[in-house]
């Protein structure tokens, strides 16, 4: 056998000449034996497949073609598996995977550890060879193939039609020689060839460096595939499961037992996952930092409470949405959540006022920085005040659809929460302007941002003539889609908040020039960003006052839908706003002259300009827009019907670096 291995391939079978000189003679000779393996010395010639079966000259032609087959194709999978696992490097494995689907799927069943073990075992045997066989396939290459360590820095994302078993197998085989797969995101599954456990098992065997796995809407992945991932990828750190109906507690238990480095878990709309899986994660994953549970009807107090109490050392982020938990879970969070910094609670219909009160009075949320509560009927004035007392480091509070919260609770919270910096209230309809002013006048010196969105209870009221105290800390004010908030309210807010820099009044259809002018004039530090989109009654007078007072600091201005704003405003902007880089004049009554002046202003370094829906603009502005300079990166010309497609095409060629929407 060694002689055969070291055979050079330069001699014939017989030193005096070829044994058979004629193919017809050879066929007669070999026809005496029904099955003969023919050995031919290796040389550069046309490939001849073996073994051959010669049955005589009268049975040649179509029948002979049918019976001849490539020898390696008739090997069983077990033999071919042993051959493929002995390939010397990643390059050879990738090339072999391109031969056929069968080879690819077989290669994907070989674990990286099996290849490494074979390589170590055969090292000593290879050293006995005096001279290695030449690799004719690499004749054009002078450098040896570089083997990359599987550090897992590659990321792959599959969506719908691309999410198949074959594609995952190709990823598992192909990424091994290029640093290894570290992050895999799967969104959806192929309709005709759905993704199954076979593809996920291929990733588990070939990608031991996988750290992040996210699966969304993969209905045929079950506990078997997830268990394979747990066994083959022990370094898994982040697992996201969304709409995986066949994954149950069994799969989560496997991950918990074999992936101790898990730091983040998200379970959404997984109808088969219950309390046992969460309990296992809490017991076996001591490094868990983030947990997100959404729309899982089988998960209740037992799973959430066990997880939070067991993983209290590092658990910093908790997000619970539409989960069947009660006051018990909130009490456990309030007691054991010593490391929790971010808490989000949404749609907890079974949690009452008592749950929020206990969570705050447990005094375990000392490190809580941000809390978001959405559509929870248990949030009342009493519970909100308890949260303020039990969370001394709370900086951000977001309340959405908390229908039982009133002005008294908001004021009490502002008085108690001495570290609060950001307050967001959305669809809290019992909050009135009195509560908002009470919050502003009682907040701490760190309070920076107030946002009111769709709060229908905020309406104009009659104020006394006595001067109100000022809120010197507020820098950002957002009042969006609050129809009762009109000019009189704006004037009052502007007087008590003289340090405003960022103002968002989008959707205030009741805002007028008279109401907005006091707010503009009262700002002492200079407005930086102003959003007035949807304020249909504003005119050039407001823009004139804004530009004259804050043109030197203004960086973003949004006047979308202000139909009474004309070219007069554009002339002032071009002359005074030297730092403006984002301007939105969509659906305003501006024309070619105003845009021409704006585009010709050399001191402007505009980055984003939106002119969507400006019906008065024509193709005359195209040459001026083409000279705006390299600073422009975004231009919106949608619904400008008087500008032809050909003109926009020419503009695209000139502003090739800019994204133009039309």
């Amino acid at each position: 056998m060694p002689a055969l291995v070291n055979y050079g391939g330069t001699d014939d079978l017989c030193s005096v000449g070829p044994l058979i000189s004629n193919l017809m003679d050879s066929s007669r000779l070999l026809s005496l034996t029904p099955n003969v393996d023919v050995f031919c010395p290796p040389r550069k010639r046309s490939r001849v497949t073996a073994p051959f079966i010669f049955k005589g000259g009268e049975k040649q032609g179509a029948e002979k073609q049918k019976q001849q087959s490539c020898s390696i194709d008739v090997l069983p999978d077990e033999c071919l598996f042993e051959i493929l696992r002995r390939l010397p490097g990643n390059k050879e494995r990738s090339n072999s995977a391109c031969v056929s689907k069968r080879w690819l799927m077989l290669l994907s069943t070989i674990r990286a550890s099996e290849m490494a073990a074979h390589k170590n075992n055969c090292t000593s045997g290879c050293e006995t060879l005096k001279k290695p066989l030449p690799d004719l396939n690499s004749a054009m290459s002078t450098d040896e193939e570089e083997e990359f360590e599987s550090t897992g820095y590659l990321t792959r994302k599959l969506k719908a039609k691309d999410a198949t078993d074959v594609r995952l197998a190709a990823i598992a085989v192909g990424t091994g020689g290029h640093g290894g797969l570290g992050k895999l995101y799967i969104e959806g599954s192929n309709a005709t060839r759905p993704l199954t456990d076979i593809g996920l098992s291929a990733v588990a065997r070939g990608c031991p460096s996988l750290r992040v796995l996210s699966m969304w809407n993969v209905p045929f992945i079950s506990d078997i595939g997830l268990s394979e991932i747990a066994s083959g990828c022990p370094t898994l750190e982040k697992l996201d499961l969304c709409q995986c109906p066949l994954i149950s507690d069994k799969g989560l238990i496997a991950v918990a037992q074999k992936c101790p480095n898990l730091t983040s878990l998200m379970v959404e709309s997984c109808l088969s996952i219950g309390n046992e899986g969460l309990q296992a994660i809490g017991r076996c994953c001591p490094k868990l930092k983030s947990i997100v549970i959404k729309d899982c009807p089988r998960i209740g107090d037992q799973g959430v409470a066990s997880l939070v109490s067991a993983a209290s050392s590092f658990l910093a982020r908790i997000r619970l949405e539409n989960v069947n938990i009660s006051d018990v879970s909130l009490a456990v969070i309030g007691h054991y959540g010593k490391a929790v910094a971010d808490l989000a609670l949404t749609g907890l219909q079974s949690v009452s006022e008592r749950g929020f009160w206990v969570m705050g009075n447990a005094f375990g949320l000392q490190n809580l920085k941000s809390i978001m509560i959405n559509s929870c009927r248990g949030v009342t004035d009493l519970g909100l005040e308890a949260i303020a007392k039990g969370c001394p480091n709370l900086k951000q509070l977001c309340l959405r659809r908390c229908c039982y919260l009133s002005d008294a609770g908001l004021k009490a919270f502002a008085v108690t929460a001495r570290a609060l910096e950001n307050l967001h209230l959305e669809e809290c309809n019992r909050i009135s302007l009195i509560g908002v002013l009470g919050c502003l006048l009682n907040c701490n010196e760190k309070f920076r941002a107030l946002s009111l969105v769709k709060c229908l209870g905020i309406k104009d009221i009659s104020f006394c003539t006595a001067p109100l105290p000022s809120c010197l800390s507020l820098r950002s004010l957002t009042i969006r889609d609050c129809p009762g908030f009109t000019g009189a309210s704006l004037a009052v807010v502007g007087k008590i908040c003289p340090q405003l820099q960022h103002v968002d009044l989008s959707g205030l259809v009741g805002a007028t020039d008279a109401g907005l002018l006091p707010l503009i004039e009262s700002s002492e530090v200079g407005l930086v960003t102003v959003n007035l989109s949807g304020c249909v009654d504003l005119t050039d007078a407001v823009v004139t006052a804004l530009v004259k007072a804050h043109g030197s600091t203004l960086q973003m201005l949004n006047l979308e839908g202000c139909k009474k704003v004309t070219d007069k405003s554009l002339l002032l902007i071009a002359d005074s706003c030297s730092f403006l880089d984002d301007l939105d004049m969509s659906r305003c009554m501006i024309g070619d002259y105003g845009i021409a002046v704006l585009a010709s202003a050399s001191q402007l370094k505009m980055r984003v300009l939106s002119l969507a829906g400006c019906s008065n603009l024509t193709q005359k502005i195209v040459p001026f827009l083409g000279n705006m300079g390299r600073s422009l990166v975004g231009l919106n010309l949608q619904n400008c019907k008087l500008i032809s497609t050909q003109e926009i095409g020419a503009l695209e060629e000139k502003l090739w670096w800019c994204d133009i929407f039309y």
Side-chain angles (χ1 to χ4, degrees):
M1 189 63 183
L4 179 61
V5 173
N6 291 325
Y7 192 80
T10 57
D11 299 328
D12 292 321
L13 289 174
C14 182
S15 58
V16 297
L19 181 64
I20 300 173
S21 59
N22 187 278
L23 183 60
M24 291 297 297
D25 295 338
S26 67
S27 65
R28 295 191 183 97
L29 176 63
L30 295 177
S31 65
L32 300 176
T33 305
N35 191 355
V36 178
D37 289 340
V38 178
F39 173 76
C40 295
R43 60 175 56 188
K44 292 184 178 180
R45 61 179 63 180
S46 300
R47 181 182 178 188
V48 180
T49 59
F52 283 95
I53 300 176
F54 297 92
K55 292 189 176 181
E58 70 275 8
K59 293 185 178 181
Q60 295 180 359
E63 184 177 355
K64 180 179 178 182
Q65 294 286 340
K66 180 178 180 181
Q67 292 183 355
Q68 290 181 352
S69 60
C70 184
S71 61
I72 200 168
D73 283 343
V74 300
L75 287 177
D77 289 348
E78 293 80 3
C79 296
L80 189 56
F81 177 90
E82 292 297 327
I83 294 174
L84 294 178
R85 69 186 289 262
R86 284 166 169 78
L87 292 174
N90 292 310
K91 180 179 179 181
E92 288 78 9
R93 288 191 286 271
S94 297
N95 292 339
S96 299
C98 299
V99 173
S100 67
K101 179 181 177 180
R102 182 192 178 200
W103 285 37
L104 169 63
M105 300 310 292
L106 279 175
L107 280 166
S108 68
T109 62
I110 305 175
R111 297 185 184 275
S113 58
E114 293 174 334
M115 293 181 178
H118 167 71
K119 186 176 181 180
N120 294 333
N121 292 335
C122 71
T123 301
S124 58
C126 294
E127 292 176 353
T128 60
L129 295 176
K130 295 181 181 180
K131 185 177 180 180
L133 292 174
D135 185 4
L136 298 179
N137 293 328
S138 60
M140 300 301 294
S141 176
T142 58
D143 296 331
E144 187 178 357
E145 177 193 5
E146 182 180 0
E147 294 288 340
F148 293 90
E149 183 181 359
S150 295
T151 55
Y153 66 85
L154 294 179
T155 300
R156 293 293 182 268
K157 297 181 180 180
L158 299 181
K159 292 187 178 181
K161 64 178 182 180
D162 296 329
T164 62
D165 291 338
V166 175
R167 186 65 180 272
L168 275 188
I171 290 175
V173 175
T175 58
H178 300 279
L181 184 65
K183 298 179 181 180
L184 177 61
Y185 301 90
I186 304 173
E187 298 181 9
S189 181
N190 190 288
T192 57
R193 295 173 295 165
L195 182 65
T196 66
D197 294 328
I198 296 175
L200 203 61
S201 299
V203 174
R205 297 186 184 100
C207 307
S209 59
L210 187 68
R211 299 190 307 273
V212 176
L213 175 61
S214 176
M215 296 189 297
W216 178 80
N217 191 18
V218 282
F220 296 100
I221 295 292
S222 67
D223 294 331
I224 297 175
L226 190 59
S227 298
E228 288 286 339
I229 288 290
S231 300
C233 308
T235 60
L236 189 67
E237 298 177 0
K238 182 178 180 180
L239 177 63
D240 293 348
L241 302 175
C242 179
Q243 298 183 27
C244 303
L246 297 184
I247 294 181
S248 65
D249 290 331
K250 184 178 179 181
L252 273 190
I253 292 173
V255 172
Q257 293 175 346
K258 299 179 181 180
C259 301
N261 294 325
L262 192 70
T263 60
S264 176
L265 174 65
M266 187 193 77
V267 182
E268 180 179 349
S269 301
C270 296
L271 305 182
S272 300
I273 294 180
N275 295 323
E276 295 181 6
L278 291 186
Q279 289 174 341
I281 293 291
R283 289 193 307 267
C284 304
C285 301
K287 299 181 181 179
L288 191 66
K289 296 180 180 180
S290 174
I291 177 71
V292 178
I293 304 173
K294 180 180 179 181
D295 296 324
C296 296
R298 295 189 58 193
I299 295 178
D301 286 327
Q302 187 178 1
V304 173
S306 299
L307 175 64
V308 173
S309 59
S312 59
S313 300
F314 294 95
L315 193 59
R317 180 173 179 258
I318 300 177
R319 190 173 296 269
L320 305 174
E321 183 173 347
N322 298 330
V323 185
N324 295 325
I325 62 174
S326 64
D327 298 340
V328 175
S329 294
L330 262 62
V332 173
I333 293 174
H335 182 75
Y336 290 98
K338 298 178 181 180
V340 176
D342 185 3
L343 178 61
L345 307 171
T346 301
L348 305 182
Q349 303 301 324
S350 299
V351 176
S352 65
E353 179 185 62
R354 181 181 179 184
F356 288 98
W357 184 87
V358 174
M359 184 178 70
N361 284 287
F363 295 102
L365 299 174
Q366 298 293 310
N367 292 318
L368 188 65
K369 303 295 191 300
S370 174
I371 182 172
M372 190 273 288
I373 305 175
N374 186 2
S375 302
C376 295
R377 294 179 296 180
V379 178
T380 61
D381 296 344
L382 184 63
L384 189 61
E385 186 177 2
I387 292 175
K389 292 180 180 178
C391 308
N393 294 308
L394 187 64
K395 294 182 179 180
Q396 296 183 5
L397 173 65
C398 177
L399 299 175
R400 291 191 176 98
R401 299 191 181 99
C402 296
C403 55
Y404 294 107
L405 183 64
S406 67
D407 293 339
L410 184 60
K411 180 179 178 180
F413 178 84
V415 172
T416 308
R418 305 316 301 170
L420 188 67
E421 297 179 1
N422 192 322
L423 175 61
H424 180 94
L425 301 176
E426 184 172 346
E427 296 187 44
C428 298
N429 296 329
R430 287 196 177 186
I431 301 296
S432 68
L433 190 57
I434 295 178
V436 173
L437 295 177
C439 177
L440 291 175
L441 300 179
N442 290 279
C443 63
N444 64 86
E445 64 279 359
K446 299 178 181 179
F447 190 60
R448 293 290 184 271
L450 173 63
S451 179
L452 306 173
V453 180
K454 298 180 181 179
C455 293
L456 303 181
I458 298 180
K459 299 178 180 179
D460 288 340
I461 58 175
S462 300
F463 295 96
C464 60
T465 57
L468 293 172
S470 299
C471 178
L472 300 178
S473 62
L474 194 67
R475 297 292 186 272
S476 176
L477 176 64
T478 298
I479 305 174
R480 189 165 64 244
D481 297 324
C482 296
F485 205 99
T486 60
S489 303
L490 285 174
V492 174
V493 172
K495 290 179 180 179
I496 66 176
C497 302
Q499 302 295 316
L500 286 177
Q501 293 180 310
H502 309 279
V503 176
D504 184 356
L505 304 177
S506 56
L508 294 188
V509 294
T512 61
D513 295 349
L516 193 58
L517 287 175
L519 187 146
I520 294 174
E521 296 171 353
S522 62
S523 179
E524 299 176 355
V525 295
L527 295 175
V528 178
T529 62
V530 177
N531 187 352
L532 302 176
S533 61
C535 299
V536 294
D537 290 332
L538 298 183
T539 66
D540 291 327
V542 167
V543 181
T544 301
L546 177 64
V547 170
K548 289 183 177 180
H550 309 287
S552 59
T553 60
L554 198 61
Q555 297 179 10
M556 190 279 286
L557 177 60
N558 190 340
L559 298 172
E560 180 186 2
C562 298
K563 299 180 179 180
K564 297 181 180 181
V565 175
T566 65
D567 286 345
K568 181 179 179 181
S569 296
L570 282 179
L571 301 181
L572 292 171
I573 291 172
D575 185 56
S576 304
C577 299
S578 56
F579 294 98
L580 187 67
D581 62 0
D582 189 342
L583 177 62
D584 192 343
M585 302 294 294
S586 301
R587 297 189 291 118
C588 293
M589 296 299 294
I590 56 176
D592 295 341
Y593 179 70
I595 296 299
V597 174
L598 182 72
S600 303
S602 58
Q603 75 278 8
L604 281 179
K605 303 298 180 183
M606 196 84 66
R607 297 183 66 253
V608 179
L609 176 62
S610 181
L611 305 174
C614 295
S615 57
N616 294 333
L617 297 181
T618 68
Q619 59 188 13
K620 295 180 181 180
I621 67 168
V622 173
F624 296 98
L625 293 176
N627 296 326
M628 289 198 67
R630 297 296 296 269
S631 62
L632 190 67
V633 296
L635 177 62
N636 190 350
L637 295 175
Q638 291 178 322
N639 297 322
C640 294
K641 299 180 180 180
L642 297 182
I643 302 178
S644 64
T645 306
Q646 292 78 8
E647 293 290 340
I648 295 180
L651 186 61
E652 284 183 318
E653 293 182 1
K654 192 168 186 179
L655 301 178
W656 55 268
W657 63 87
C658 179
D659 293 329
I660 301 179
F661 303 94
Y662 60 93

